[in-house]
Amino acid sequence: MIHTDLVRLATTGSVDDGKSTLIGRMLFDTKQIFQDQLAAIEAASRQRGGDRVDLALLTDGLRAEREQGITIDVAYRYFATPKRKFILADTPGHVQYTRNMVTGASTADIALVLADARNGILEQTRRHAFIASLLRVPHLVLCVNKMDLVDYSEDVYEKIVDEFRDFAARLDINDLRFVPVSALEGDNVVEPSLNMSWYDGSPLLKIMEDIHVASDRNLIDARFPIQYVIRPHTAEHHDYRGYAGQIASGVFRPGDEVIALPSGFTTRIVEIDTYDGAIDEAPTPMSVVMRLEDNIDLSRGDMLSRPHNQPMVGQDIDAIVVWMSESVRLRPGAKYAIKHTTRWARAMVTDLQYRFDVTTLHRDESATSLGLNEIGRVRIRTTAPLFFDEYRRNRETGSFILVEEGTNNTVGAGMIGGPAE
Amino acid sequence: MSYELSHLEALEAESIHVIREAVAEAERPVLLFSGGKDSAVLLRLAVKAFWPARLPFPVMHVDTGHNFDEVLEFRDRTVTELGAELIVASVQEAIDEGRVVEQTGPNASRNRLQIEPLLAAIERHRFDAVFGGARRDEEKARAKERMFSFRDEFGQWDPKNQRPELWSMYNARHHNGEHIRVFPISNWTEMDIWQYVLNQEIDLPSIYFSHRRRVFERDGLLMADSPFIQRRDDEAVYEATVRFRTVGDMSCTGAFASTASTVEAIIDEVSTTRITERGASRADDLTADAAMEDRKREGYF
């Protein structure tokens, strides 16, 4: 198999900071834009009366987006260098579409946050950096864009870097980097800039290629949420009973002693099957089928882990929630369907402790509800126990969604802090 | 041991997770199978997801009646080998029963006419999860779509109001009459598909590989000479060595000159081409800036 790794990126930033242009530039300079795509956006740019090709038209794929010149929903883009394949989620800058930004950032290995060199750090820049840190995107790169409009000034760049560093010190960011770019002119995007000799770092693409992401995965805590029970009922596989799922974290091997939750039974893994044959070890995020030594009670929504390293089990949970509904507010006492790993239950919000002001990071303890795009700390009680870890330790077993039972809409995204006391 | 997965292994793991999740949560899933390379890869992933059990759902072909013989033969052979149930939703039947009206003229295509029989079959069989092999890198409206894409009781997509989709957590909840379109290979590119076809030795219809064929030129594409497409007087037929980059309705799928006769040769060709696969083969998407978005809103796949 050809060995290049897969890296997920999310781009964020305020409206008009030039995100879509930056992506267009990245695709253009890495020669990932095809002739017919270029011809189409050249024609569209001309039709709009622009005097140069608007690279943003490459990613703004919806009619409404092209008409208004804004990004409404996440657009996914794909490009590759010889070292890496990138999945890039281009997320909206507008406040009203913050929930779509959260969608794009939830799976990202690297967040690119854009700032306009003329405007510095705006409210939206802070909001996006905060959300990226909340969602535990492991690496954050602040791209100071439009350097061509400030005469490629080192002073302007340094000032913005200092201001952002001050703000970021109050966030939980593992790895923070900075790069001055001009997406429009192509400075420091793919090629090093000739206009900023004072900058001795790498261009953005090189940074994205070099960031080490493999060690961001949790390979310590073995967690296997049961997704589906496979029972072929065929002559050849008459007594076959396999537990299918994707390994949420850690590594499983045949012979491992495992504990099943919620039953608490322990048994051993006999074999880890795939269509291509049995395997010796299965690290996250592989999708596999496990066969166990004993026929124990185990079905969808249950979990396998190791006896000496188990998730927390409980029905009262402390979490940060991002609210995503336009029509209803989150209020204490309200009930929702909750999905956590492969398990559905019902949940009641028992307490709203505070609401974040996402630009000042101030905690408003007088808040009584959360509206669209608001973020707060809540306690929930679930109808069935969940098997969870802290989100900061495990993105897969530490996250959940809340679904409104009448409309079936996904209305909240939760990140678990721990059991509620 | 680094435990690092290659990009194909990571994509495969994600797709299998999505397929199992949809089947676990839906009552009546179905997989759309056109006989093209993307649906062939999707079908292999679905088989892998439930192995050693059989595929736990039927496959459905939306048949425009304007098929390449090689593709129909491939469809029937593949379905027979798997022992899967095949459902055919027929555009011809919809025309005969007056549910849709055939277009006329040289640019007539049955592409858009697939929407009605597709939605009618979904309703008749009460399918509530419909797997499709669409990829986000194919087209700008598809680049916006979720893995689990909600459809209302009219089969419509509302691109401005999609359900947030976080982590690897998918929400398949729906009321009766509504359904979810599920796109497990959303994150695959054309190159990933070909590398996987090579790696997994997946069988494909012969028209993907270089062959001799009677063609004529239209809008820069080489259209196969067939009874399903009306030639203009100035469009002369000649024989050429061609292959198809996508497989669809004969009236709107074009070929291009190519000598690539193996998967390896196709991978070389795809890695150096400067034209997208839809631009190189789909007459329907050359017609308007938002042609795909408009079709998708109405229920197209």
Side-chain angles (χ1 to χ4, degrees), chain B residues 61-73:
Chain B
H61 179 216
V62 182
D63 181 358
T64 64
H66 292 171
N67 299 294
F68 293 94
D69 292 341
E70 297 89 336
V71 178
L72 276 193
E73 182 272 324

Side-chain angles (χ1 to χ4, degrees), chain A residues 38-54 57:
Chain A
L38 194 61
I41 63 162
E42 273 170 0
S45 304
R46 266 198 309 276
Q47 209 179 344
R48 267 149 232 267
D51 53 358
R52 62 198 298 167
V53 177
D54 184 357
L57 292 176

Side-chain angles (χ1 to χ4, degrees), chain A residues 139-415:
Chain A
H139 310 274
L140 195 151
V141 184
L142 182 79
C143 307
V144 181
N145 189 25
K146 306 197 184 182
M147 287 299 292
D148 54 308
L149 299 181
V150 295
D151 299 324
Y152 298 103
S153 159
E154 182 176 10
D155 283 352
V156 171
Y157 172 70
E158 289 298 338
K159 236 195 212 144
I160 293 171
V161 167
D162 286 346
E163 190 187 345
F164 192 79
R165 243 189 241 288
D166 281 350
F167 175 72
R170 295 147 67 198
L171 304 176
D172 202 353
I173 298 173
N174 274 340
D175 177 26
L176 176 61
R177 297 164 196 233
F178 299 90
V179 58
V181 301
S182 166
L184 197 65
E185 303 295 340
D187 295 274
N188 279 340
V189 179
V190 173
E191 301 297 332
S193 169
L194 299 174
N195 297 309
M196 291 178 275
S197 50
W198 47 264
Y199 172 72
D200 55 9
S202 303
L204 179 58
L205 185 69
K206 181 88 168 67
I207 294 174
M208 284 157 38
E209 273 191 308
D210 290 348
I211 286 176
H212 190 64
V213 297
S215 52
D216 299 332
R217 278 182 302 158
N218 179 336
L219 290 168
I220 312 273
D221 307 317
R223 305 281 184 267
F224 186 68
I226 308 300
Q227 200 179 7
Y228 192 88
V229 182
I230 293 182
R231 301 208 59 193
H233 300 295
T234 56
E236 192 188 346
H237 300 282
H238 188 69
D239 295 320
Y240 189 99
R241 179 196 286 264
Y243 300 95
Q246 183 169 26
I247 293 166
S249 58
V251 183
F252 286 87
R253 295 178 189 82
D256 280 354
E257 188 177 34
V258 288
I259 181 164
L261 295 170
S263 70
F265 286 119
T266 57
T267 180
R268 280 182 192 282
I269 299 172
V270 174
E271 200 158 71
I272 302 179
D273 288 337
T274 74
Y275 174 89
D276 301 303
I279 53 176
D280 295 335
E281 47 194 359
T284 178
M286 279 189 84
S287 285
V288 297
V289 180
M290 295 201 198
R291 284 193 291 127
L292 304 176
E293 209 165 73
D294 304 291
N295 267 335
I296 55 173
D297 174 21
L298 196 59
S299 59
R300 176 172 168 83
D302 297 350
M303 187 183 281
L304 290 179
S305 70
R306 305 294 304 276
H308 58 273
N309 177 347
Q310 298 182 35
M312 291 174 267
V313 179
Q315 289 173 256
D316 289 287
I317 290 164
D318 172 85
I320 304 285
V321 167
V322 182
W323 197 246
M324 300 176 148
S325 170
E326 280 161 355
S327 51
V328 292
R329 298 180 72 86
L330 173 142
R331 289 180 203 281
K335 296 185 184 74
Y336 306 98
I338 184 171
K339 189 178 190 189
H340 172 261
T341 67
T342 55
R343 167 165 281 228
W344 282 99
R346 297 184 76 215
M348 180 166 73
V349 177
T350 51
D351 186 25
L352 170 62
Q353 291 170 279
Y354 53 81
R355 179 175 62 207
F356 277 109
D357 180 321
V358 294
T359 48
T360 62
L361 305 185
H362 176 74
R363 297 170 178 187
D364 178 4
E365 291 178 6
S366 67
T368 54
S369 67
L370 294 180
L372 176 65
N373 297 321
E374 292 185 331
I375 300 171
R377 185 160 170 199
V378 301
R379 285 179 179 162
I380 58 169
R381 177 164 179 82
T382 58
T383 51
L386 305 185
F387 321 118
F388 60 91
D389 295 283
E390 277 175 71
Y391 182 78
R392 51 179 301 123
R393 186 167 173 89
N394 198 324
R395 258 170 144 180
E396 296 301 321
T397 57
S399 56
F400 61 81
I401 55 171
L402 297 175
V403 173
E404 197 186 13
E405 292 181 307
T407 61
N408 292 322
N409 282 329
T410 305
V411 289
M415 288 154 280

Side-chain angles (χ1 to χ4, degrees), chain B residues 203-230:
Chain B
D203 200 18
L204 291 179
S206 58
I207 67 168
Y208 276 112
F209 303 93
S210 166
H211 59 284
R212 298 289 288 173
R213 181 178 290 269
R214 288 176 59 75
V215 295
F216 63 92
E217 253 182 89
R218 176 180 291 179
D219 302 328
L221 305 178
L222 301 179
M223 306 304 292
D225 183 35
S226 79
F228 308 128
I229 182 161
Q230 192 181 327

